[in-house]
Amino acid sequence: MAASILVGAVHAIRPLFPGREALVAGVFGLGHGMAFSFVLAEMHLSTGQLASSLLAFNLGIELVQLLLVCLALPSLLVLARLRIQPALRVTGALITATAAIGWLADRLGLPNPVARAADSAGSHTTGMLTVLAVAALAAMTAVGWTLIVRQREGGRAELETATEPAV
């Protein structure tokens, strides 16, 4: 998992697989799923327990991913229109790559404070979800306000054009 996160972070800085992101995500997903199934197989579950565990795990992962996309997408769409977006993307990717390298080092048995800090940050899910929800609400409000202002300005321009005398 740490290696796939590192690849994703590097890809965010410089595309490694342009146009093949869905394929790469599918391959990583299969790899993660196989690793999880091996963990379940070591538990010696019955076929029914194994199937229900895999189904519950996959549904849970998909629901959490959908929630996070719904919370993050509005803010990301707003940020994508800003001049600072490339710097934010690279900064976020570098932070993510640093954490992934820390996790890789940790798996090799090397002490790594970066991995511990990233793991600690991940344990504050309520705070992170709250920040994402507030940011999503703020982004949706900003987009809505922008659309209202543009619509009013467009209406004025149409009104001015309609009231000008024909030449």
Side-chain angles (χ1 to χ4, degrees):
M1 185 165 176
S4 62
I5 292 171
L6 180 60
V7 169
V10 171
H11 182 76
I13 296 170
R14 181 174 185 164
L16 302 172
F17 314 102
R20 294 195 171 113
E21 289 84 0
L23 176 65
V24 172
V27 169
F28 284 153
L30 285 173
H32 293 158
M34 284 178 39
F36 181 67
S37 68
F38 290 143
V39 169
L40 287 177
E42 290 176 356
M43 297 176 149
H44 304 292
L45 301 172
S46 70
T47 304
Q49 291 172 323
L50 182 61
S52 65
S53 295
L54 282 171
L55 179 65
F57 175 77
N58 286 325
L59 288 176
I61 290 292
E62 295 305 323
L63 287 173
V64 168
Q65 287 178 345
L66 183 61
L67 172 69
L68 292 175
V69 167
C70 288
L71 290 175
L73 191 60
S75 301
L76 293 175
L77 290 173
V78 170
L79 290 174
R81 299 173 91 35
L82 300 178
R83 287 185 183 161
I84 195 168
Q85 183 273 342
L88 291 174
R89 179 178 43 82
V90 170
T91 301
L94 289 172
I95 291 169
T96 302
T98 302
I101 290 168
W103 287 317
L104 284 171
D106 199 42
R107 297 215 182 10
L108 294 173
L110 302 171
N112 194 308
V114 174
R116 281 192 296 279
D119 289 339
S120 175
S123 68
H124 302 290
T125 54
T126 303
M128 289 192 304
L129 286 175
T130 302
V131 168
L132 276 174
V134 169
L137 184 60
M140 289 187 291
T141 303
V143 168
W145 185 255
T146 302
L147 290 174
I148 290 170
V149 168
R150 284 185 183 171
Q151 186 178 22
R152 286 182 181 166
E153 289 174 355
R156 282 191 208 126
E158 290 173 14
L159 182 61
E160 290 169 5
T161 305
T163 57
E164 289 178 7
V167 181

